[in-house]
Structures are given as structure tokens and as C-alpha cells.
Amino acid sequence: MTTDRSIDASSLADRKLGFLFREGSYFDLGILRIIAVATSLLFLIFISRFGIEGAFYLSGDFYRPLPALKILMLPFGWGTRPEPWLVNSIYWITIATGITALVGFRTNISLLIYAIGNIFLTAFIYSFSDLHHREAVMAVILFALALSPSGRVLSVDNRMGKGFNGLVDSTAASSTHSPYAYWPILLLQIFFALMYFSAVVWKHQSGLGWANGFTLQAYLVQDGIRHNSPIALWFSQFHYFIYFVQLIVVTFQATFFLIIFFPKLRWIYIPIGLVFHIGILLTLTAPFYQWIALYMGFIPWSNLREIISGRRKIIDLF
Amino acid sequence: MVKFAVGSAALNKIILIVPSKNMVDHMVMPDNIKTILITAFVSSITLFQFYVSILPLTGKPMGGWYWPFTDYPMYKGTINEGDHIPIRTIVIARDSSGKETEITANIVGGGIGLFRFSNLAKTLINSDEEHTNIINLLTRNLDNRDNIIEIDLLNYPLVITKKGAEEAPSELLKRIHL
């Protein structure tokens, strides 16, 4: 990109920008943007809508607004319950900006509004005494994408010659890579590592006996009956297999942070993680769709594209 | 286009450009400021999420209150061989003629859902207060709601073994006279 800017093009390379600002591919970041926005949009349209409608009918006894909702409702008063017209308005604005963020039109501002709308709507649903954990990482990553050059490629902005955004990117970046294109992907890895770390902490809060086979057997039985899952009930019979699975789960969650420092380990952790989350979806009916989708953000799509085009060998991935 | 040279000679390498039109399209933030802001953003998220993650060790977990910064306690409880595992709480409404009706989340309806229903039942079990509003909510869709004289809350447990689960007798957790 040629402009009249006087930033020294070599200064970024010379400067030690550290762990957070290693060179990242715009393509990888664009793919993450598309995956994150598409997944969250589908959720908003086909699942969250029902939660929102249900919340409208709940009495004030259920209303315990989360701090996130209170902050966003400040113009209307601290702790005020949003009226249906307001929630519906925010819903449709969020959907609209989600679509523009997905196609990459005015990408960063679209993403910012979409991220805020997403937080508002999810916090609204969760302010009625029923909170879940699957949307949290998506809420954080959408914000990160809004603050990064995620619309540099794979976007209408790029097609219109407006893919570069000087507020979130560097003029010293190349047309394919930037020191500001990697940090959202790194943050995604960090957040996953912390989520798994929290899970390990809870599992061992009262000792090291969680991975004993019986624990997961019990949950398979419990959720198998609750959610009418024959596969869960069938699996619950195999004590030693489940014992082995629990050991794998604990080891996986406790060591996931290693992919932050040794990226090539992702080729071990991504398949295990996908099997883990798809497995609990099929057996325990634990619907962590957002996590499954965001796992795709760990894959180096730009490298895979080069392998397919013959510019790189597959062994280079490892 | 207007250019400003900022600060000392070292900072003169970083120039803030303020164009006369299409301002947003051409605005550039100096790299050092971007770096600082992004570092602060990532560090804040990391530190707060880490803090929430280790709070269970102090015995005072935040739970989901600071969503999206939350802990992840799903499937945390340790269960050993022979333990009774609660499958669900059964809520039975009994009227003056002795007719019993099991109340489920579907019967209550109105967006209650499985988890809120369980929480309502736990509130009735664990609290000594009357909670008339909860009882009215649970019985609102029953045809005989005006004749309900008792609400029983039962546990439906199974015993866990190496071969899976075996039935255990249900236990009456609480009987509420109306």
C-alpha cells in the first residue's frame, strides 16, 4: 500500500513486538471472522430468538440482571429491565450488522456493533436465572475481531479497495500478513486454555478423585435419562473405557495451554478437542456448538491453501 | 490533508494524518499506541478470566455473574461406586380427591425450561419460606389447581456401579401442605 505516511516501513520488523504481535495471515484471520460471525448469527436466529421470546413472558421474580446488561442499560437506568421493543430493536440491528460483518462491509464498525449487540442479547437471556457457558468465548472473540484487521481480505471492503483500516492495522504490513493479524487467534487459544483450566480446577477442588470412571458413568446415566439419549446410557456400561476417557479429558484440559507456546501441538489437541466436544454433544447432549466452530480458528488455513496450490509441502505443517 | 508531527525527533516517525474528508477511511493510529492498547486489552481479558478461573480454590467462586468472564464447573462433582446419583426432582401435586399429577417443565410452560424448573424445585426443598409465588407458578396450568392440597418433592436416584446404574428407592425430600 502506498500512502503519504511517514512510518518507517522497516521499524516494525526491527522492533521487538513480542509474543503477541508475531506475523499473522490476513487469510487466517478472515476465516476466523467468517466462522465466528456465521456461527453466532445462526445461533441468534434459530436458538437465541426462542430464549428472548421466553424471557419476555417471565415475571420480575426471575429477573436478576447481569452486570454486563446493567452497564449496557445505563442510559435507561441501572438495573432496569429492557422493554420488548428495545430488545427487539437491538435484535434486528444485531442481525443486520452481523450480516455486514459476515460479508465484510465496513467490517470493523459492523463487528463492533454486532459484538455489543450479541453481548446485550445473551446477557438479557441469562439475566433470568438460567446461565450457560457456551457463548462466553464467542462474545470475547467477536470483540477481538472488531479491533483487528479481520476485514483486510475475504471482504466486500477489500473488493472495494477499502480493506485496509489504519486504526487496527499497520501500514508496514504486507498484502498478506500483518503483525496485528495474529493476536485475535492467540487470544482465542489463551481463552480456551483458561476455560479448560477452570474446568480442571473445579474437577479437583476437593481432591484428585474425579477421574475414577464412576463419575462420567453417572453423568452419562443422568443426562441419558434427562435428555432421552440411548447412546449415553449404552456407553455408561463400560467402566474401564470411561475411566480411560476421563484420564484423557483431565490431561487434555490441564495441558491445553501448551499449544500457545508450541503451535505444532495443535495437530494433537485440535482432533482430541473436536472428538471431546462432539462426543459430549452426542452423549450428554451438551451443545457447545460455538466451541466446535471456534476450533476451526486454530487451523492455519493459509498454509493449507498453499499446500493445495502446491506452494508448500504438507510436512511443513508439522 | 493535514499532517501533524508529534513529539520529539523519535516520535516524528509517527505522524497522525487528519484528512479533510472520508475521515474514518484514512485515519491511522500510531503503531505504538495500537500495540499498547491491544496489549492492555489482551492482558485484561487474560488476567480477569484467570482470576475467575482460580476463585473456586478460595471457596468464593464468582459463578456466571461477570459473564462473559465465567468459571466452568460443568460435570465437576466426583461420584464414587455405590453413590446415589440424583436423576431429577419429581414434583407431584395431590388434590383433595387423592388424584396425583406430576408437574414437569413442559406442563408449567411459558419459557421456564428444564434448568429453571430444577432451580424452582430446589428452592422449595431448601427454603423454609412459603414461596406461594413458586407454587402458583408450578400449578398454574393444572386443571385441578384450585383443589391442590399437597405438593410432594421427591428424588429419583440411581446407584452407580461398574456396570452402569441400578435403581434405588425414591425418597420424599419435602411435603408442602397448602
Side-chain angles (χ1 to χ4, degrees):
Chain A
M1 174 163 185
T2 56
T3 66
D4 194 23
R5 296 175 177 87
S6 300
I7 294 173
D8 184 353
S10 66
S11 66
L12 281 171
D14 292 336
R15 203 178 305 164
K16 286 184 180 177
L17 290 172
F19 184 67
L20 199 54
F21 299 102
R22 66 184 80 164
E23 283 275 308
S25 162
Y26 286 130
F27 187 78
D28 292 345
L29 189 61
I31 293 284
L32 177 60
R33 181 194 96 235
I34 291 169
I35 289 170
V37 175
T39 305
S40 53
L41 255 183
L42 286 172
F43 233 78
L44 263 184
I45 294 169
F46 293 108
I47 297 177
S48 298
R49 185 67 215 175
F50 296 104
I52 293 169
E53 294 282 351
F56 288 157
Y57 291 102
L58 292 171
S59 70
D61 292 337
F62 287 99
Y63 187 59
R64 284 171 178 75
L66 296 178
L69 184 66
K70 286 183 180 178
I71 290 169
L72 292 171
M73 282 295 294
L74 258 180
F76 299 88
W78 184 253
T80 303
R81 178 174 173 168
E83 295 291 325
W85 70 263
L86 178 62
V87 178
N88 284 325
S89 301
I90 291 172
Y91 177 82
W92 288 111
I93 290 170
T94 305
I95 295 291
T97 50
I99 293 170
T100 54
L102 179 64
V103 302
F105 177 69
R106 295 291 184 189
T107 310
N108 290 99
I109 190 66
S110 293
L111 273 168
L112 188 62
I113 297 171
Y114 180 65
I116 294 171
N118 224 294
I119 285 189
F120 179 95
L121 294 168
T122 310
F124 173 71
I125 296 170
Y126 288 166
S127 292
F128 290 88
S129 310
D130 182 18
L131 186 142
H132 299 278
H133 301 81
R134 53 187 176 238
E135 289 92 347
V137 58
M138 184 68 80
V140 172
I141 290 307
L142 286 173
F143 254 116
L145 289 168
L147 303 176
S148 71
S150 57
R152 184 69 178 89
V153 297
L154 298 174
S155 64
V156 168
D157 288 341
N158 185 35
R159 283 282 185 176
M160 292 167 55
K162 295 180 179 179
F164 178 81
N165 184 337
L167 290 173
V168 298
D169 203 357
S170 169
T171 55
S174 71
S175 60
T176 58
H177 288 71
S178 167
Y180 294 105
Y182 185 71
W183 72 264
I185 297 173
L186 181 62
L187 178 61
L188 180 65
Q189 295 172 357
I190 291 171
F191 208 86
F192 261 93
L194 289 171
M195 292 192 295
Y196 289 139
F197 172 67
S198 173
V200 168
V201 168
W202 268 113
K203 287 178 173 73
H204 298 95
Q205 192 193 10
S206 52
L208 299 176
W210 184 85
N212 61 6
F214 297 106
T215 300
L216 187 52
Q217 276 184 283
Y219 289 127
L220 283 167
V221 169
Q222 196 172 54
D223 281 359
I225 292 174
R226 277 182 189 166
H227 301 294
N228 198 20
S229 171
I231 192 172
L233 294 173
W234 181 75
F235 264 113
S236 69
Q237 304 169 83
F238 305 107
H239 172 76
Y240 293 105
F241 172 71
I242 291 171
Y243 190 1
F244 173 70
V245 167
Q246 282 195 265
L247 291 172
I248 296 290
V249 166
V250 169
T251 305
F252 169 82
Q253 291 183 329
T255 59
F256 189 87
F257 71 93
L258 290 174
I259 70 163
I260 298 169
F261 305 104
F262 306 102
K264 289 182 180 177
L265 285 178
R266 65 189 154 197
W267 298 114
I268 299 173
Y269 283 88
I270 291 173
I272 293 176
L274 284 172
V275 168
F276 169 49
H277 286 296
I278 292 172
I280 63 172
L281 172 62
L282 294 176
T283 55
L284 300 174
T285 326
F288 284 81
Y289 300 109
Q290 293 91 335
W291 294 30
I292 294 171
L294 287 174
Y295 258 73
M296 300 299 112
F298 297 153
I299 295 173
W301 298 101
S302 56
N303 291 352
L304 288 178
R305 189 172 63 165
E306 289 178 355
I307 288 169
I308 291 170
S309 65
R311 283 179 285 158
R312 188 188 277 256
K313 294 178 185 173
I314 195 167
I315 195 68
D316 292 338
L317 286 177
F318 308 100
Chain B
M1 300 269 276
V2 178
K3 293 183 187 178
F4 293 92
V6 179
S8 67
L11 289 175
N12 274 341
K13 289 187 175 182
I14 300 162
I15 295 177
L16 184 65
I17 299 172
V18 183
S20 56
K21 55 183 176 179
N22 293 326
M23 189 171 174
V24 172
D25 288 346
H26 293 87
M27 195 177 284
V28 175
M29 184 187 297
D31 280 0
N32 61 344
I33 295 177
K34 263 200 289 279
T35 301
I36 291 169
L37 291 176
I38 292 169
T39 304
F41 177 73
V42 174
S43 303
S44 304
I45 288 173
T46 303
L47 288 171
F48 195 47
Q49 180 59 41
F50 178 74
Y51 173 64
V52 171
S53 299
I54 62 170
L55 271 180
L57 297 173
T58 67
K60 293 181 182 178
M62 276 185 179
W65 192 238
Y66 290 100
W67 185 91
F69 299 98
T70 178
D71 54 3
Y72 292 84
M74 299 85 75
Y75 305 109
K76 65 177 171 51
T78 298
I79 297 167
N80 296 299
E81 186 176 19
D83 282 354
H84 283 204
I85 45 169
I87 300 301
R88 59 191 178 100
T89 303
I90 302 173
V91 182
I92 304 285
R94 188 176 298 109
D95 68 14
S96 53
S97 69
K99 177 186 171 188
E100 293 182 346
T101 308
E102 182 181 347
I103 302 174
T104 63
N106 285 339
I107 289 175
V108 177
I112 288 293
L114 190 64
F115 287 98
R116 286 196 192 93
F117 180 81
S118 297
N119 289 336
L120 289 172
K122 284 179 192 170
T123 302
L124 288 178
I125 293 166
N126 297 325
S127 171
D128 292 329
E129 295 176 25
E130 285 192 359
H131 291 294
T132 309
N133 56 340
I134 294 179
I135 292 172
N136 288 340
L137 178 64
L138 293 178
T139 57
R140 66 182 179 182
N141 288 329
L142 298 181
D143 294 333
N144 56 346
R145 61 183 174 276
D146 295 327
N147 293 328
I148 302 294
I149 59 171
E150 280 177 342
I151 299 282
D152 280 354
L153 297 127
L154 300 101
N155 186 18
Y156 169 45
L158 295 175
V159 176
I160 198 69
T161 68
K162 284 186 179 176
K163 292 182 181 177
E166 295 174 359
E167 281 196 46
S170 294
E171 41 187 352
L172 179 66
L173 299 173
K174 193 168 186 177
R175 173 165 286 164
I176 300 172
H177 298 282
L178 302 179

